[in-house]
Amino acid sequence: MQKTFESWFAEQAPQIPARSAAAVLKLAEEGGTVPFIARYRKEQTGNLDEVGVRQVLECKERWEEIVKRQAFILQEIEHQKKLTPELKAKIEGAYDLSLLEDLYLPYKQKRKTKAAIAKEAGLEPLADWLWDAAHGLVKLAPGETPESKAAAFLNAEKEIDTTQKALGGATDIVTERLSEDVGLRQEVRETYHKEALVRSRKGAKVKPHSKFELYFDHQEPVPSLMKPESSHRYLAMRRGWMEEELVLSLGGELPPVDPAAGDDVLSRLRVPDPLVDQVVARFEAAALTVPDFPGATIMKTAARLAARAHVIPAIENEVHKALRDIADEAAISVFAENVRKLLLAAPFGAKAVLGVDPGIRTGCKLAMVDSSGAYVGNAVMHLETDRGKQEAKMLLAKLVEAGGVQAVAVGNGTAGRETEEFVREALKEAGSNTPVVMVSESGASIYSASDVAREEFPDLDLTVRGAISIARRLQDPLAELVKVDPKSIGVGQYQHDVSPTALKKSLDAVVDSCVNQVGVNLNTASTHLLQHVSGIGPGLAKSIVSHRGKVGLFKSRHELLEVPRFTQKTYEQAAGFLRIPGGDNPLDNTGVHPERYHSLQRLAERMNVGVQGLLGSGVASVKQSKELKDELGEFTFADIIAELEKPGRDPRDGFVSFAYRSDIHEIKDLEIGMVCPGIVTNVTNFGAFVDIGVHQDGLVHISQLADKFVKDPREVVSPGDRVQVRVVEIDKDKKRIALTMRSDGVANMGKPRPPASDARPGHGAGQGRNDRHDRNDRNDRSSGGFGGGRPATPNRGPAQPFNNPFANLASGNRDKR
């Protein structure tokens, strides 16, 4: 039965009202972006959040894909003049792509098959007779056999010169008919989805200390791996198969390998598969209903060929694809949520910061940024010798004092812990209480060598660019991380195994969502930040920055309409997400959309106050206005009240300083039972990875995250969280650390616990900070001392005073951020 989008959508997303879905689609057709629709059109959508809005739009895309495929299949079969009313009804009533392809399969143009050749040789009537006789649809004459019937189909011209060849061709036709039977294929599909197991065995290229050891003799039901919380195990097995450390298959349950009995992978492959036998038996039953038919052997042969050579391989591919799709979706969801947490990490704020990029051979690169994030200058400190350390201490003390530095950000790459400890002690000796903070370097090397970094700092060395990025990441993680491809941030689960297209789409949406959630200062934002604002994009972002540089700071949101190509529609989509602190209108520094200004101005006039009187303490009077609430709607009214209460507020958490244990720097320093402070670097479906300061993240398995049962690790922790953990297991050879956050962790030590290594193949050593070790020892092409950058644009504002003891910065210039 044909369906409408509305009826189909109600099945796909029953939790979303039809009215809300219709509103989303209408707004999207009018050019509305997801952030805009979710934030400023709540009355129309019934307060749908971004997740709900995206679900509506994604469902619409899937619906259009199905309808398009239906139309194509109908057209193709119509051209063949084989479209019957019954077949048309089946196609128009099929809203599952697998079922659609099954219906299309008999009519699909394919290269010449054995069955097609047999039909050209005139053997289809013989195949029809075999089928009808095997099902009791025709009565056999006395002594009539398949061989005697085949004799009438001999054709030397078509190279059908024996009855065996004639029957062979007819068998090929019957085989194809069985393999294209929609009902049989659907039965096999359901059987494999419900009963099959994914089996993995040791492969031919196993490496020492293999990370796939857990899967050397493993089998797990398909329905279990279809669950998002366990789908990571399928990706792990698949990766092992791709690296040829595992042999991967689908089928029924097999007995475990017994090495003592001489079992190996090859011998296992010779064991009859119970699920395959079950499917073959079903095909044989479909092919033959008259057991004493003389051609029973022929029909059973055709059934076995159809099942084993055609249907089972195709359905296995479908199951693998379904498992991969579910695992991809789950992994991408985890990755996206982790990226969201990092982007929304607490900012240190607009304060001068000294960034330190640790290095061994070429020294630690230092880079100063002022309170606005503008680059000030750079230097190098060498810590290999006592003399170098003494000089570095003097350098640090002078820079911190002269530059008004309010924090030192140290990258967490190789030698990061040692560098952090040195800087902390050096400042302590100098009598400074300036905080020293470890900052994640994930993706910093990608940024340093990117076109973005070269455009910002064409004359600086890669490592200096990295130190600048480290400093800015402390100031404002969101503003700096938007310059890095989200895939390179390193908080994903199996990020290199999932669909690149789906991953990019999801992560881009997360970045856009975070930028619009926080809001963007129109007078200081870089093009990289502005391009993620609703409705703007890269080209318009450059136009805004260029206009700002030529004309000066924006004093009101309305001035955006003076920017070339900034249309009224773009203004509608973008204005509410842009902020102007200290502008002409105090509402321009809030999330209140300009389309609501008139309503608030009329209220202010009725209250005999200016618009400024509605903000802060004045919001109490606004809350009492039933007239305004009725005009705006319940949801919009609540949002505006929240904005007026705290104008210019940053929705991110406040910054809290953090320090690792000072007595551990490497994995060899760890001991069972140690309690360590740590930072969550990555959260997966099977647990959380925590940096405790030894260059190797430890794993807190999902069973060790809390004293209570935890279904989803994200209920307990998020990337960037500060946590206390206990060390429960150390494997120095494999560089694995098992941690616990349970209060009884010490009491449980030594007792069996769920294997933490089930996820290792997909995570790898240190994934979550996947380029922590690739940034040291670069060739130092910088000048060494603090030098000037490029001229600042007039919109940047002055930097904090910085009296450089090594260079006269009065004549130097500052780089724009």
Side-chain angles (χ1 to χ4, degrees):
M1 183 179 74
Q2 278 187 279
K3 298 179 182 178
T4 62
F5 170 74
E6 289 74 20
S7 62
W8 178 81
F9 178 79
E11 297 172 357
Q12 303 298 311
Q15 76 283 6
I16 299 179
R19 172 180 168 277
S20 298
V24 168
L25 295 177
K26 183 175 184 298
L27 290 166
E29 288 174 4
E30 294 171 353
T33 65
V34 172
F36 174 79
I37 294 171
R39 177 74 171 104
Y40 294 112
R41 292 296 180 262
K42 292 183 178 182
E43 308 307 322
Q44 291 96 314
T45 67
N47 200 27
L48 276 188
D49 59 12
E50 287 192 16
V51 174
V53 172
R54 291 189 192 281
Q55 187 174 5
V56 172
L57 297 177
E58 288 168 0
C59 279
K60 184 65 173 178
E61 287 180 9
R62 290 205 307 273
W63 167 262
E64 290 175 347
E65 180 186 2
I66 291 170
V67 171
K68 182 179 179 181
R69 189 60 179 167
Q70 284 178 333
F72 173 80
I73 291 172
L74 288 170
Q75 184 181 33
E76 286 296 302
I77 300 176
E78 178 67 39
H79 286 168
Q80 298 175 28
K81 301 189 182 303
K82 297 178 181 179
L83 186 63
T84 64
E86 181 184 6
L87 179 58
K88 182 179 180 180
K90 286 182 179 180
I91 293 171
E92 290 179 339
Y95 292 90
D96 178 271
L97 288 175
S98 296
L99 178 56
L100 272 175
E101 296 307 319
D102 284 349
L103 292 168
Y104 180 42
L105 187 60
Y107 311 95
K108 196 172 186 177
Q109 296 297 318
K110 39 189 175 285
R111 55 183 187 174
K112 191 169 289 188
T113 61
K114 290 182 178 180
I117 294 172
K119 289 177 182 178
E120 290 178 357
L123 296 176
E124 191 165 16
L126 178 59
D128 292 340
W129 179 85
L130 284 171
W131 183 269
D132 292 344
H135 292 81
L137 301 176
V138 295
K139 187 175 181 180
L140 301 185
E144 189 175 28
T145 64
E147 288 76 15
S148 64
K149 191 72 176 177
F153 292 89
L154 298 181
N155 187 336
E157 186 177 324
K158 297 290 185 177
E159 298 184 358
I160 308 297
D161 50 10
T162 66
T163 57
Q164 286 78 12
K165 288 184 178 180
L167 288 173
T171 301
D172 291 334
I173 295 173
V174 173
T175 298
E176 185 175 82
R177 185 176 298 174
L178 283 167
S179 67
E180 293 179 349
D181 185 281
V182 174
L184 284 174
R185 294 180 72 90
Q186 189 63 20
E187 283 186 39
V188 178
R189 182 177 291 115
E190 292 176 358
T191 297
Y192 266 75
H193 275 272
K194 292 178 180 178
E195 302 177 23
L197 294 99
V198 178
R199 304 182 303 222
S200 61
R201 301 288 180 263
K202 186 185 292 187
K205 297 184 178 180
V206 176
K207 300 172 185 174
H209 304 298
S210 174
K211 56 191 176 183
F212 302 104
E213 186 175 351
L214 183 69
Y215 302 102
F216 283 172
D217 185 18
H218 182 77
Q219 52 189 21
E220 187 167 355
V222 166
S224 172
L225 292 175
M226 288 282 187
K227 298 176 181 178
E229 61 267 24
S230 55
S231 60
H232 62 275
R233 291 195 289 274
Y234 177 75
L235 286 179
M237 287 185 274
R238 191 175 185 280
R239 180 183 289 184
W241 168 72
M242 293 176 67
E243 295 182 13
E244 298 184 54
E245 291 198 54
L246 296 176
V247 175
L248 197 62
S249 62
L250 280 176
E253 185 169 1
L254 298 179
V257 170
D258 183 6
D263 283 359
D264 57 17
V265 172
L266 293 179
S267 66
R268 176 63 62 85
L269 294 178
R270 292 192 289 269
V271 175
D273 189 315
L275 194 60
V276 171
D277 290 346
Q278 176 184 337
V279 171
V280 169
R282 177 66 187 89
F283 269 71
E284 289 180 346
L288 181 68
T289 59
V290 180
D292 59 351
F293 171 53
T297 301
I298 295 173
M299 297 303 290
K300 288 183 177 180
T301 299
R304 286 192 291 270
L305 280 171
R308 292 179 179 274
H310 298 279
V311 177
I312 289 178
I315 298 301
E316 285 185 345
N317 286 337
E318 282 186 21
V319 173
H320 278 298
K321 183 180 184 303
L323 286 166
R324 171 79 184 273
D325 289 345
I326 289 172
D328 276 10
E329 185 177 349
I332 289 171
S333 175
V334 170
F335 198 163
E337 188 59 28
N338 288 347
V339 169
R340 179 182 297 277
K341 296 295 184 181
L342 277 185
L343 292 176
L344 296 179
F348 182 65
K351 305 168 187 176
V353 175
L354 180 66
V356 182
D357 181 8
I360 299 175
R361 183 172 59 84
T362 59
C364 302
K365 304 302 184 296
L366 310 179
M368 178 82 73
V369 296
D370 65 19
S371 60
S372 66
Y375 165 65
V376 175
N378 71 85
V380 182
M381 63 180 186
H382 296 275
L383 307 179
E384 297 89 348
T385 64
D386 290 340
R387 180 179 176 182
K389 290 179 180 178
Q390 288 301 318
E391 292 176 348
K393 288 180 180 180
M394 295 173 59
L395 175 63
L396 283 170
K398 290 179 180 179
L399 294 180
V400 169
E401 181 180 0
V405 171
Q406 298 189 49
V408 178
V410 181
N412 67 343
T414 302
R417 280 303 317 284
E418 294 79 1
T419 304
E420 179 214 20
E421 286 295 320
F422 172 81
V423 173
R424 195 182 300 279
E425 288 300 316
L427 295 180
K428 184 177 179 181
E429 288 181 16
S432 171
N433 59 358
T434 303
V436 180
V437 184
M438 289 286 283
V439 176
S440 171
E441 291 185 7
S442 294
S445 61
I446 304 296
Y447 162 77
S448 300
S450 68
D451 292 339
V452 173
R454 283 194 291 271
E455 180 182 340
E456 283 194 284
F457 310 110
D459 301 322
L460 296 182
D461 176 65
L462 293 176
T463 51
V464 176
R465 296 174 189 163
I468 295 170
S469 181
I470 289 168
R472 288 176 172 177
R473 285 189 185 200
L474 179 62
Q475 286 182 321
D476 189 340
L478 178 60
E480 191 62 18
L481 288 173
V482 292
K483 302 174 186 177
V484 181
D485 186 338
K487 296 194 301 295
S488 303
I489 296 177
V491 291
Q493 176 187 356
Y494 304 96
Q495 64 192 72
H496 302 296
D497 297 326
V498 301
S499 164
T501 302
L503 179 62
K504 184 179 187 307
K505 180 180 179 181
S506 177
L507 296 185
D508 287 348
V510 167
V511 175
D512 290 347
S513 174
C514 291
V515 170
N516 289 286
Q517 180 181 339
V518 172
V520 172
N521 186 327
L522 184 56
N523 283 325
T524 61
S526 66
T527 57
H528 317 291
L529 199 57
L530 284 168
Q531 71 185 24
H532 292 285
V533 173
S534 168
I536 292 183
L540 205 48
K542 291 180 180 178
S543 295
I544 292 172
V545 172
S546 175
H547 181 85
R548 189 174 67 194
K550 294 175 182 176
V551 179
L553 302 181
F554 289 93
K555 296 179 181 179
S556 73
R557 285 168 167 169
H558 191 73
E559 291 178 0
L560 282 164
L561 294 171
E562 299 173 9
V563 175
R565 298 186 296 107
F566 204 100
T567 65
Q568 188 67 46
K569 185 66 178 179
T570 304
Y571 181 77
E572 175 194 60
Q573 298 295 309
F577 302 105
L578 298 168
R579 308 284 186 267
I580 305 179
D584 293 342
N585 189 332
L587 294 177
D588 283 349
N589 194 34
T590 71
V592 177
H593 198 282
E595 66 189 4
R596 304 300 181 187
Y597 284 7
H598 292 303
S599 298
L600 292 174
Q601 286 165 355
R602 287 196 299 269
L603 176 63
E605 290 172 2
R606 291 198 297 270
M607 295 170 57
N608 292 319
V609 297
V611 173
Q612 182 68 47
L614 303 179
L615 279 65
S617 59
V619 77
S621 300
V622 181
K623 290 180 180 179
Q624 306 303 317
S625 177
K626 184 177 183 303
E627 182 180 347
L628 181 65
K629 185 175 183 179
D630 292 341
E631 178 184 351
L632 299 179
E634 179 182 354
F635 303 122
T636 304
F637 180 77
D639 285 346
I640 288 179
I641 291 296
E643 291 295 332
L644 296 179
E645 284 180 328
K646 296 181 179 180
R649 67 190 176 99
D650 191 321
R652 295 172 288 184
D653 293 334
F655 180 82
V656 178
S657 189
F658 173 85
Y660 296 105
R661 279 184 62 147
S662 59
D663 58 337
I664 58 173
H665 298 86
E666 299 178 30
I667 194 170
K668 65 181 178 62
D669 299 329
L670 295 177
E671 295 179 3
I672 302 295
M674 273 186 168
V675 178
C676 308
I679 298 177
V680 177
T681 59
N682 200 356
V683 180
T684 69
N685 286 332
F686 48 80
F689 285 84
V690 178
D691 176 13
I692 56 175
V694 295
H695 304 301
Q696 181 62 49
D697 293 346
L699 174 64
V700 182
H701 190 266
I702 187 172
S703 63
Q704 299 293 312
L705 281 171
D707 293 336
K708 62 180 182 179
F709 172 76
V710 176
K711 182 178 181 181
D712 184 348
R714 285 162 289 186
E715 298 172 356
V716 181
V717 290
S718 300
D721 284 356
R722 272 71 163 164
V723 295
Q724 288 285 115
V725 295
R726 288 188 181 92
V727 179
V728 296
E729 186 179 318
I730 307 166
D731 188 332
K732 296 180 181 178
D733 292 332
K734 294 183 179 180
K735 295 184 177 180
R736 293 179 181 174
I737 307 166
L739 307 169
T740 182
M741 289 170 55
R742 293 172 60 99
S743 61
D744 61 347
V746 174
N748 283 338
M749 278 188 284
K751 295 182 180 180
R753 63 184 181 85
S757 58
D758 67 338
R760 289 291 175 171
H763 196 277
Q767 187 173 328
R769 292 179 288 167
N770 58 358
D771 68 341
R772 286 181 61 192
H773 307 288
D774 67 352
R775 305 185 63 245
N776 57 300
D777 292 349
R778 293 180 181 136
N779 292 326
D780 182 17
R781 299 190 299 275
S782 61
S783 59
F786 275 84
R790 295 183 296 162
T793 52
N795 58 291
R796 289 303 308 169
Q800 291 293 326
F802 180 73
N803 300 316
N804 189 337
F806 301 108
N808 181 9
L809 284 184
S811 59
N813 294 316
R814 310 278 174 90
D815 268 89
K816 64 182 179 181
R817 188 169 186 176

